[in-house]
Amino acid sequence: MKKLLFILIMMFSIQSFACSCECNWDCRFGAVSDNQEFVALIKVIEYTDYLEHRNEKFPYSITVEVIKKYKGSESRKRMKIWGDNGMLCRPYIEEFKVGKYYLIAPSKIEYDSKPEQKNDYDLFSCHTDYLEVDYEKKTAYGDYSWWRKEISLKNFESKLNK
């Protein structure tokens, strides 16, 4: 009986930390990027910070290089993007591969919270705020809109400016 009670308590405790969100509007990249302050094409340079769990290390942040800024006042050429630590409703950073390109529409972190720093960025799991890019083909792939699962960078730029 004690084991059953312990298992039930653990199940409810774990669920209380789980990310539960719903999208009340169009949460695909085309709509999200229209509403974010900063939108850019980036290249992942390196995994920067790590979390440790059971003697294993997991990437917690990436350093990215801005290849092209489409929108916003951000002037840095390199910046840090933070991922999920298991409780933050963010994508896990290991989804982003070093050397790969992405279109991003991140949110700016507004306060210091060790190890995260004010003016770094994060992404949100409850909507699409990044797309993987084939840089040679100049095409982004993923949930751009209800009907589009890919868009050329040229078309994206022209639609973003409308």
Side-chain angles (χ1 to χ4, degrees):
M1 188 66 169
K2 285 183 181 181
K3 284 184 180 181
L4 178 61
L5 183 60
F6 176 76
I7 290 171
L8 288 173
I9 290 172
M10 290 305 293
M11 285 176 54
F12 287 111
S13 297
I14 291 169
Q15 287 182 346
S16 68
F17 289 111
C19 176
S20 74
C21 55
E22 70 182 57
C23 185
N24 295 323
W25 53 286
D26 185 355
C27 294
R28 279 138 185 91
F29 189 81
V32 170
S33 61
D34 283 343
N35 292 300
Q36 287 293 77
E37 290 181 28
F38 174 59
V39 179
L41 172 64
I42 56 100
K43 179 180 181 182
V44 177
I45 303 302
E46 65 183 348
Y47 296 126
T48 315
D49 296 273
Y50 291 84
L51 296 170
E52 193 168 328
H53 180 70
R54 295 185 182 177
N55 296 323
E56 286 188 64
K57 286 187 174 185
F58 301 94
Y60 185 36
S61 72
I62 49 176
T63 297
V64 301
E65 178 182 351
V66 176
I67 304 302
K68 182 169 186 175
K69 179 176 70 170
Y70 293 102
K71 182 178 173 185
S73 60
E74 179 62 60
S75 61
R76 292 176 287 177
K77 189 70 174 162
R78 287 191 176 203
M79 64 192 61
K80 195 179 280 192
I81 298 175
W82 293 88
D84 196 63
N85 64 6
M87 300 184 293
L88 296 173
C89 293
R90 298 176 182 167
Y92 290 103
I93 283 298
E94 57 202 13
E95 292 180 30
F96 299 88
K97 304 301 179 199
V98 173
K100 296 284 186 177
Y101 295 83
Y102 299 87
L103 273 180
I104 61 168
S107 299
K108 189 176 273 191
I109 294 174
E110 298 191 13
Y111 55 89
D112 289 340
S113 149
K114 296 284 181 197
E116 299 172 14
Q117 299 294 306
K118 181 179 179 179
N119 296 324
D120 287 345
Y121 287 91
D122 65 7
L123 299 165
F124 189 48
S125 289
C126 296
H127 57 244
T128 304
D129 51 9
Y130 68 93
L131 297 175
E132 189 168 345
V133 172
D134 182 326
Y135 195 67
E136 289 180 16
K137 293 181 180 179
K138 303 289 191 236
T139 303
Y141 298 93
D143 286 334
Y144 176 76
S145 71
W146 292 102
W147 300 276
R148 292 184 98 152
K149 300 303 176 204
E150 66 180 65
I151 187 166
S152 72
L153 295 180
K154 185 176 181 180
N155 283 347
F156 169 71
E157 185 171 4
S158 68
K159 289 181 181 302
L160 186 64
N161 292 328
K162 286 186 178 178

